[in-house]
Structure formats: C-alpha cells, structure tokens
C-alpha cells in the first residue's frame, strides 16, 4: 500500500518527532525527591469537617443525644445566631433528620425545607431527630414501635425517647427558654402522639399533623380490613435498610397490570423478598383486627393516658394516606372528657400539604395560599401563646374546618363527634334515583369480577404518579359507565344541603360469593356547564368515600364468611367533611366492589387470610343492592339546617 503525503503533512510529522525526541530526556531530568507533605496514607475526608459559619445567621449543631438505655439518637439543631430565651420546636422522624436543612445557605430560612420556612425567622430553635434505629441514630428500628407493654417488653419506646430528648434539650441548649413544642406529619405525627402518652413537663404544646393513629381501621395499612397494597413499597423502603431502602422493581409501567399479574398481595410481597422483613412477617400474620392492632391503636392509648398539653389534631379533608387518625384521636379524647386542651383542624388539603403550598386541591382552587395563611395566622401564633406567653388575637375554637364550597374556614364551639350526630338518611331509589323519601321497593345488581377490578384512577397508573396526592378529588365520570359501578343520583337540587360531620354508609346487600368488598362514594355532581370554570362542567367530585371488607360486617376481630345470596347489612363510617351541595348541583352515591390497585382484590371466596389467596379463589360474584322494605340502603348524612359558621 502506498502512502501519499503533502508537504505540510511531512513538516508536521517532522515537528512531532522532534518534540517527542526533546520531551523524553526532559522527564528523565525531573527531580525524584519526595517530601512527607506529598504522601497521604489516610483518607482525604476529614474525620469531623466543620465549615466556617461566621457569616451564617444561625449555628448548626449535629449531636448524639443519649437515651436512658444508653442508645444515642442523631439530632440536628439549628440555633439562630446570638439567640437567647427562644423556644424549641422538635420533630422526630424516620426520614433522615439531616433533611431538615438540605441547603447550605447563609440564611436559616433558606437552609430548611418548605415545612420549616415559616418557623425559621430567628424566633425558634429548630430540632430534628432520627428515631431509634434509623439513619444516624443507634438502636434497633421497629415500625411504629408499640408503647411499652404486651407488644413491647423493653423499657423504651417513642414516649420515653421523646421524654429523654426533651430533657437533654432543656438542660443543654442554653439559648432556649426551656419550653418545647412538638410538631410533625404522618409518621412524624405519630411520634408526637406517642410523646403525649407521658409528656415531659417542658412539652408545652403539640400539633400531630395527619398522624397515623390506627393503621388497620383507616390510616396507612388497611381501611376496614381492605389492604392498601401500594404501601408495600413503603415496607421495603423503610425497613430493609437503616437509611433509605429501595421500592419494589416493576415489570410494567402500569401498576394495575403489575398487581393483577402478581395475584394476591402476599404473593407479590414474598416474591420480592419480604419474608426477610420482620415487620412484614408480623403484619401478614394478623389480617384481622386482633390484639396486634388493638394494642397499637393510639386513640385508645391517649384516652387511657390523657395529657394536659394543648394539642391541635390536624389533617386534610382529602388526606389520601392518613384520613382517619387525627379526627378519631380528637373524638376519643372529647368523648372521654378531655376536650378542653384538644382542638380539631381539618383543612382543604391532601396528606401533609399543611407543610407545603396550599393554593389548590387538584382542580379546586382557593382564594389564597391556605396552608401558608393557616401557618402564619393560626398555627404559629397558637404555638407562640404557649411557648412565649404572647396573647392570641382570637382564641382557637374547639374545631376549625374548611368549607371548600364557600372557600372559608368555619369555626365551631361544639363540633359533634360521630356518635352524637343527628343523621338524615339519603335513600337509594328505583331507577338509580336518590332521595330523602323512603323507597317503596327495588334492588339493583352488578357482577364483580376480580379479573377486571375497578381502578381508583384512570389507567395507566404508574408507581409514582402525579394523581396520587389528589386522587380523592378525581372526576368519577371515568367509572360511571362501568357495569360494575352503580351510580344513584338526586334530581337537580333547588336548595342547599349542608352536611357537617361523618356520613355513614348503610348498605343492605347480598352476594353470590362468600366474601366481598363495598366501596361507597358520596359525590357532588356539578351542573353541565359552568361559565366561571368550564372545565368543572359536569364534574363528579368525591366529597367522602371509603371501602369496607364484607367479612368484618359483624366483628373486626372475628371475621366470618358471607352467606351466599342472603341479605346482609354493611354499615361503616365515611370520612368527616364540612360541605354544601348547592342548588343546580346533584348529589350522587356510587357503589362498587374494588378500588384497584390501591386496595388489594377481594377474591370473593372466603379464605382465612386474603393476603395469600390462591388464583382459584378469585371468582366472579353477583352483588345485589337492596333498597326496598327488606333493606333500605342509604347514606346517612349529618345534615345541618341553616348552617353558617364564619371563620
């Protein structure tokens, strides 16, 4: 092969050769002397890096606080610079205390996450702590560790850990005034409730936000016995590692397909290694509301050990994760005579939205940032009252509940607990009607097929989807035409129907199967056209809904098979609301037998443990809803005539 080169190329090659010939001797001439400062036998990462903070308007301390058994808990403390006599705000979390200050900023308000910004104005010392066994804390982690007693034979729990933490803080944080408030949402709200079982004297005020109070009855794990199987990702993420674990890998984009192909929830979990998780093994062995769940129900624990700490029980009207806990804890305490220091607040929010912006709830738009307004005008002034002795412009009422129709806060001096409500039946009628008059006769049937469960959102439903936070206000027209969804509707309303409290589903039904679930939705149907907001024309807005597993119709602790084709009553409470159905709207009630894949499928054949139902157990069933004299199915509404409670 011949090579052809231009004159310029030959010159370039000659230059490269000369450079190479010149460079090699030069390297050989470099001194090989090595001095000690050139050598590193250890790590380039210092054992205790302390960046300068002289320009910061706060001091960040990272400490290990000892508990009574010697275990030390990782705690992050942000102290405003030159602070003196400030109260402390404590949050205990399983989600990494270091996330309290994710930004290395000169200003405290810019350093903290969104939920703490309003508190980071230099008037509070902020404290965030990893609970026992998570992230930087020592000890053994137990999921929502039960209080000391039959389920926890040790000498510590999250009550003692909160007590010991507060005791250390008031003795060691010299910039404080010796007073502590506790706050936190979801699991962090649970830690606040646990602290209230035996509060330290320095704990002066508390706000459990969307706390998990009863995981079986209606918070994270189950709703009236129906498994919230999408939370299996939480099990692996929370309990497979001391830090943050992984969620379950998916074969398909659509979780509807993933869970349907897996069969039972137990099969899905154990195919993904869950037998290695002690929490799962305890959980899976107790599908009914036995002592495993009863002894962890904090509403009963709080009544048995009531505190005098002023407490704000706070949640959202459409809390998609923990809609049960706050209101039930507050009701239990009020019924037991402890209402004076306990207050109920329900805002127009999804789960934990109180710590983020609150301009809207899905398609529902508010006239302002409801969460920021509440934090700044109500929550923080209320904490200041007990932690600084500052007066409140307006005393906090017994209950503050947002009216999403009138878009205002309503205040109540005597909000009725569910057992004291005056209820008005809204009966299912013939021809898919709905009304306050007793129906003469009739029934309606549908076929529930576990192979084609009703989705809780339009498909596809990815593992991480934008609709999760707001699914409880999703337009229900996407299922209205399904043959396995019954939709009953009133005529167009000519006057306002106001409800304040917890609606009660009272359904009389028979099934050809030996088990089954009942989903009941109370819906506001908007007029067909809305000039002010055309997108809301005909919208079917869920106001309150829940699911009930039929085997528990007589007893939550002792389930029983449903006798085939025999009329049974299924009566269960729906989430609390404060709502007005306006003239021109219609009220709708929808009934179905699944909300998939959020809740696991009922095989509709009675088996001892639905978590481990076999493929052959899943069978179609004909469900008949009765609305005649033998069983007048209805939703019992807490109707209030002429209600008006200005906020």
């Amino acid at each position: 092969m011949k090579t052809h080169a231009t004159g310029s190329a030959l010159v370039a090659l000659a230059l490269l050769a000369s450079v190479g010939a010149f460079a090699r001797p030069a390297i050989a001439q470099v001194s090989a002397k090595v001095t000690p400062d050139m050598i590193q036998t250890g790590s380039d990462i210092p054992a205790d890096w302390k960046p300068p903070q002289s320009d910061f308007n706060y001091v960040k301390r990272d400490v290990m606080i000892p508990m009574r058994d010697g275990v030390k808990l990782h705690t992050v403390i942000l102290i405003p610079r030159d602070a003196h006599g400030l109260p402390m705000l404590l949050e205990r979390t399983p989600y990494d205390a270091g996330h309290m200050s994710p930004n290395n900023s000169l200003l405290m308000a810019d350093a903290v996450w969104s939920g703490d910004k309003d508190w980071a104005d230099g008037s509070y010392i902020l404290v965030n702590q990893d609970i026992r066994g998570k992230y930087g804390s020592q000890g053994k982690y137990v999921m929502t560790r039960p209080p000391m007693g039959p389920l926890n034979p040790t000498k510590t729990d999250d009550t003692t850990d909160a007590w010991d933490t507060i005791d250390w803080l008031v003795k060691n944080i010299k910039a404080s005034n010796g007073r502590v408030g506790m706050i936190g949402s979801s699991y962090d709200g649970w830690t606040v409730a646990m602290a209230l079982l035996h509060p330290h004297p320095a704990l002066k005020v508390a706000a459990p936000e969307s706390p998990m109070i009863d995981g079986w009855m209606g918070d994270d794990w189950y709703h009236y016995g129906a498994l919230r199987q999408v939370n299996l990702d939480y099990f692996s993420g929370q309990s497979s590692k001391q830090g943050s674990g992984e969620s379950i890998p998916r074969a398909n984009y659509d979780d509807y397909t993933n869970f349907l192909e897996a069969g039972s929830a137990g099969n899905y979990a154990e195919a993904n290694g869950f037998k290695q998780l002690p929490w799962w093994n305890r959980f899976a062995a107790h599908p009914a509301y036995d002592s495993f769940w009863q002894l962890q129900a904090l509403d009963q624990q709080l009544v048995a050990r009531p505190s005098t700490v002023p407490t704000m029980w706070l949640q959202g009207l459409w809390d998609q994760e923990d809609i049960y806990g706050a209101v039930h804890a507050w009701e239990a305490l009020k019924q037991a005579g402890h209402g004076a220091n306990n207050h109920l607040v329900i805002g127009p929010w999804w789960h934990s939205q109180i710590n983020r912006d609150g301009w809207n709830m899905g398609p529902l738009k508010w006239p302002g940032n409801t969460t920021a307004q509440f934090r700044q005008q109500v929550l923080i002034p209320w904490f200041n009252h007990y932690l600084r002795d500052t007066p409140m412009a307006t005393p906090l009422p017994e209950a503050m509940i947002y009216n999403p129709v009138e878009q205002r806060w309503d205040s109540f001096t005597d909000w009725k607990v569910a057992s004291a409500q005056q209820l008005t039946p809204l009966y299912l009628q013939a021809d898919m009607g709905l009304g306050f008059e007793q129906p003469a006769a009739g029934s309606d049937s549908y076929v529930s097929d576990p192979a084609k469960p009703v989705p809780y959102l339009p498909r596809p439903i990815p593992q991480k989807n934008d609709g999760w936070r707001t699914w409880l206000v999703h337009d229900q027209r996407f299922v209205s035409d399904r043959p396995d969804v019954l939709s009953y509707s009133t005529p167009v309303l000519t006057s306002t129907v106001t409800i304040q409290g917890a609606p009660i589903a009272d359904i009389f039904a028979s099934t050809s199967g030996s088990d089954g679930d009942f989903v009941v939705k109370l819906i506001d149907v908007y007029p067909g056209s809305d000039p002010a907001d055309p997108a809301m024309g005909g919208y079917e807005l869920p106001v309150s809904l829940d699911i009930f597993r039929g085997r528990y119709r007589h007893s939550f602790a002792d389930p029983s098979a449903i006798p085939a084709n025999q009329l049974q009553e299924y009566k269960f409470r729906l989430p609390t609301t404060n709502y007005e159905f306006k003239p021109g709207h219609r009220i709708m009630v929808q009934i179905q037998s699944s909300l998939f894949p959020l809740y696991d499928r009922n095989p509709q054949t009675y088996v001892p443990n639905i978590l481990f139902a076999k493929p052959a157990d899943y069978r179609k069933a004909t469900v008949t809803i009765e609305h005649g004299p033998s069983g007048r199915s209805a939703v019992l509404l807490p109707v209030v005539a002429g209600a008006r409670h200005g906020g």
Side-chain angles (χ1 to χ4, degrees):
M1 179 178 179
K2 294 183 179 180
T3 301
H4 300 277
T6 64
S8 59
L10 291 172
V11 171
L13 289 170
L15 286 172
L16 286 171
S18 65
V19 169
F22 176 79
R24 282 193 293 273
I27 292 174
Q29 294 170 9
V30 172
S31 171
K33 183 178 180 181
V34 175
T35 60
D37 62 298
M38 302 176 184
I39 302 170
Q40 173 61 294
T41 58
S43 172
D44 274 343
I45 300 174
D48 188 16
W49 165 246
K50 290 185 173 62
Q53 294 186 344
S54 58
D55 292 333
F56 286 44
N57 72 348
Y58 64 98
V59 175
K60 181 176 180 178
R61 293 183 58 186
D62 206 294
V63 299
M64 298 294 288
I65 297 180
M67 301 294 103
R68 61 191 62 188
D69 62 347
V71 168
K72 295 181 178 180
L73 303 187
H74 173 235
T75 309
V76 178
I77 307 170
L78 303 185
I79 307 172
R81 188 166 294 281
D82 302 323
H84 177 72
L86 297 185
M88 292 179 281
L89 186 70
L90 171 63
E91 182 166 355
R92 305 189 63 250
T93 182
Y95 303 126
D96 188 0
H99 283 170
M100 178 179 71
S101 54
N103 305 311
N104 189 33
S105 174
L106 297 176
L107 302 178
M108 188 171 170
D110 293 335
V112 298
W113 78 293
S114 62
D116 284 334
K117 284 190 180 298
D118 288 326
W119 302 91
D121 62 354
S123 61
Y124 273 85
I125 297 168
L126 303 183
V127 184
N128 217 359
Q129 182 180 74
D130 291 325
I131 63 171
R132 185 176 290 248
K134 288 300 291 182
Y135 290 90
S137 286
Q138 299 173 353
K140 298 176 181 178
Y141 173 70
V142 175
M143 183 82 77
T144 53
R145 184 187 302 271
M148 287 186 295
L151 297 181
N152 177 4
T154 73
K155 299 299 182 183
T156 63
D157 56 18
D158 282 87
T159 305
T160 64
D161 284 353
W163 204 101
D164 293 349
T165 297
I166 294 173
D167 196 60
W168 187 94
L169 290 171
V170 297
K171 291 176 180 176
N172 291 275
I173 304 302
K174 304 305 180 184
S176 83
N177 65 359
R179 299 185 190 184
V180 177
M182 281 194 73
I183 198 167
S185 186
S186 197
Y187 200 129
D188 298 13
W190 173 87
T191 69
V192 179
M194 285 293 292
L196 292 171
L197 295 180
H198 180 54
H200 190 283
L203 181 58
K204 302 299 183 183
V205 64
E209 302 166 332
S210 300
M212 188 215 246
I213 295 297
D214 193 322
W216 194 93
M217 280 293 185
D219 282 323
D220 284 293
W221 312 141
Y222 287 93
H223 274 216
Y224 299 127
L227 175 70
R228 294 167 64 85
Q229 64 183 357
V230 296
N231 282 329
L232 293 176
D233 285 304
Y234 184 87
F235 290 9
S236 60
Q238 188 71 6
S239 59
S240 62
K241 292 182 181 179
Q242 182 166 346
S244 178
E246 300 295 331
S247 60
I248 299 170
R250 300 302 205 264
N252 303 283
Y253 177 74
D254 190 354
D255 256 358
Y256 187 101
T257 302
N258 290 320
F259 282 99
L260 195 62
E261 290 181 347
S264 68
N267 184 64
Y268 178 80
E270 297 192 352
N272 284 282
F274 273 41
K275 282 187 176 181
Q276 302 170 71
L277 303 177
W279 162 245
W280 164 255
N281 293 326
R282 296 195 307 279
F283 180 97
H286 300 278
Y289 195 63
D290 60 13
S291 56
F292 176 73
W293 297 107
Q294 294 172 26
L295 292 172
Q296 297 185 64
L298 285 189
D299 50 349
Q300 301 308 311
Q301 296 274 350
L302 289 159
V303 168
R305 300 160 63 182
S307 86
T308 58
V309 175
T311 304
M312 181 187 294
W313 299 93
L314 190 151
Q315 68 178 54
L317 284 167
W318 291 283
D319 189 313
Q320 82 282 8
E321 295 184 23
D322 291 304
I323 202 167
Y324 182 96
V327 67
H328 280 78
W330 177 83
E331 286 190 9
L333 288 162
K334 179 179 178 177
Q335 281 187 292
H338 307 295
N341 64 300
N342 287 282
H343 305 265
L344 177 65
V345 173
I346 306 180
W349 307 317
W350 37 261
H351 181 70
S352 298
Q353 191 178 1
I354 178 58
N355 295 308
R356 295 168 176 84
D357 282 335
W359 295 97
N360 66 292
M361 175 67 195
L364 306 179
K365 303 174 181 65
W366 315 128
N369 189 342
T370 57
T371 50
Q373 292 167 354
F374 182 82
R375 291 191 302 265
Q376 295 161 11
Q377 299 171 16
V378 180
L379 181 60
I380 293 176
W382 190 67
F383 266 65
N384 287 341
H385 178 66
Y386 292 103
L387 297 175
R388 306 173 181 279
D389 297 322
T390 57
M392 289 189 67
T394 304
L396 187 67
E398 178 181 90
M400 280 183 67
I401 304 180
Y402 198 80
N403 182 325
V405 177
E406 293 297 330
Q407 300 187 334
R408 66 169 189 250
W409 285 98
D410 287 344
S411 298
F412 300 88
T413 57
D414 184 21
W415 179 263
K416 301 298 184 185
V417 301
S419 60
Q421 295 179 145
Q422 296 295 316
L423 297 170
T424 302
L426 182 64
Y427 294 104
L428 309 188
Q429 308 275 358
D431 300 321
M432 309 311 293
L434 194 63
F436 293 106
E437 309 80 17
Q438 281 194 1
S443 63
D444 301 291
S445 299
Y446 62 91
V447 175
S448 172
D449 186 354
K452 300 175 181 178
V454 182
Y456 78 99
L457 280 172
R459 297 181 64 185
I461 307 172
Q463 174 192 4
K464 297 179 180 179
N465 68 84
D466 294 335
W468 166 242
R469 285 176 170 172
T470 59
W471 82 267
L472 282 172
V473 295
H474 194 89
D475 190 346
Q476 294 303 296
R477 283 178 291 188
F478 82 101
V479 297
S480 290
D481 294 333
R482 284 185 59 122
D484 52 357
V485 177
L486 300 181
S487 299
Y488 300 86
S489 178
T490 66
V492 173
L493 298 176
T494 58
S495 60
T496 298
V497 176
T498 300
I499 60 173
Q500 295 174 347
I504 307 294
D506 191 15
I507 306 302
F508 292 86
S510 61
T511 175
S512 61
S514 52
D515 200 358
D517 291 348
F518 293 88
V519 176
V520 176
K521 310 172 192 172
L522 179 65
I523 296 169
D524 182 5
V525 181
Y526 281 55
S529 63
D530 184 352
D533 190 354
M536 294 300 289
Y539 201 95
E540 295 180 2
L541 174 70
V543 175
S544 183
L545 69 87
D546 218 329
I547 186 171
F548 184 92
R549 185 140 284 174
R551 60 175 52 204
Y552 299 111
R553 68 203 178 282
H554 297 314
S555 169
F556 290 124
D558 187 18
S560 59
I562 299 173
N565 301 311
Q566 292 186 27
L567 196 65
Q568 303 283 294
E569 183 179 17
Y570 303 90
K571 193 172 185 178
F572 55 100
R573 172 177 173 170
L574 303 180
T576 294
T577 190
N578 177 31
Y579 199 84
E580 297 181 21
F581 297 92
K582 288 295 190 180
H585 292 230
R586 290 178 293 133
I587 304 175
M588 176 182 284
V589 169
Q590 282 185 348
I591 299 175
Q592 59 200 58
S593 290
S594 49
L595 272 176
F596 190 76
L598 171 53
Y599 293 94
D600 67 330
R601 295 176 301 152
N602 192 313
Q604 303 182 150
T605 301
Y606 187 85
V607 295
N609 189 339
I610 287 181
L611 295 180
F612 299 102
K614 304 301 181 186
D617 298 326
Y618 292 87
R619 301 174 186 172
K620 294 181 182 180
T622 299
V623 179
T624 301
I625 307 298
E626 179 67 36
H627 44 80
S630 60
R632 293 190 170 97
S633 296
V635 174
L636 312 180
L637 299 180
V639 175
V640 180
R644 176 64 171 90
H645 298 267

